[in-house]
């Protein structure tokens, strides 16, 4: 069982980044309370584009990522972000190789 990571870029509609971040709250809470195999789930603001947020996610396994991605909370998040986002998130799935904390 090897770890898997995700880097996601989410672009908000012009001026909607704060609302988009607030809409992420239920998912952030869900991950913390209900996903023990989600190792890291970090929401960050882009420093050069005021409409972009980035998610860095690390999972204990591909199965943990699949459980996260198919959760009811993820489906609800998609609906909550739809009126705030300027399109679908750009998702990159990676295999962590080496690093501090890995």
């Amino acid at each position: 069982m090897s770890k898997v990571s995700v880097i996601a870029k989410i672009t908000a509609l012009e001026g909607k980044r704060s609302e988009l971040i607030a809409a992420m709250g239920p998912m952030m809470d869900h991950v913390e309370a209900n996903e023990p195999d989600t190792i890291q789930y970090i929401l960050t603001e882009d420093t050069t584009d005021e409409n972009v947020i980035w998610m860095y996610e690390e999972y204990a396994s591909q199965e943990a990522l699949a459980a996260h991605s198919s959760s009811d909370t993820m489906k609800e998040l998609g609906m909550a972000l739809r009126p705030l986002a300027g399109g679908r998130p750009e998702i990159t799935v990676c295999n962590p190789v080496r690093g501090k904390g890995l």
Side-chain angles (χ1 to χ4, degrees):
M1 180 175 5
S2 62
K3 293 180 181 178
V4 60
S5 62
V6 173
I7 301 165
K9 177 183 181 184
I10 306 170
T11 303
L13 292 172
E14 187 69 34
K16 297 284 186 179
R17 182 166 78 176
S18 293
E19 292 177 59
L20 189 128
I21 288 171
M24 293 289 298
M27 177 55 87
M28 303 300 291
D29 295 340
H30 169 81
V31 168
E32 189 166 340
N34 300 297
E35 295 187 10
D37 290 333
T38 299
I39 299 165
Q40 294 187 53
Y41 199 71
I42 302 169
L43 169 62
T44 63
E45 293 178 322
D46 194 295
T47 60
T48 61
D49 187 330
E50 64 186 24
N51 294 310
V52 171
I53 64 170
W54 294 88
M55 290 297 304
Y56 176 75
E57 309 167 23
E58 185 180 350
Y59 300 90
S61 65
Q62 186 65 45
E63 293 79 15
L65 171 57
H68 169 78
S69 299
S70 64
S71 71
D72 288 340
T73 306
M74 179 59 80
K75 293 171 190 160
E76 294 166 7
L77 178 64
M79 298 300 290
L81 296 185
R82 189 168 289 157
L84 303 171
R88 296 181 61 84
E90 297 175 36
I91 308 271
T92 303
V93 179
C94 307
N95 290 320
V97 176
R98 182 179 173 188
K100 182 177 178 178
L102 190 62

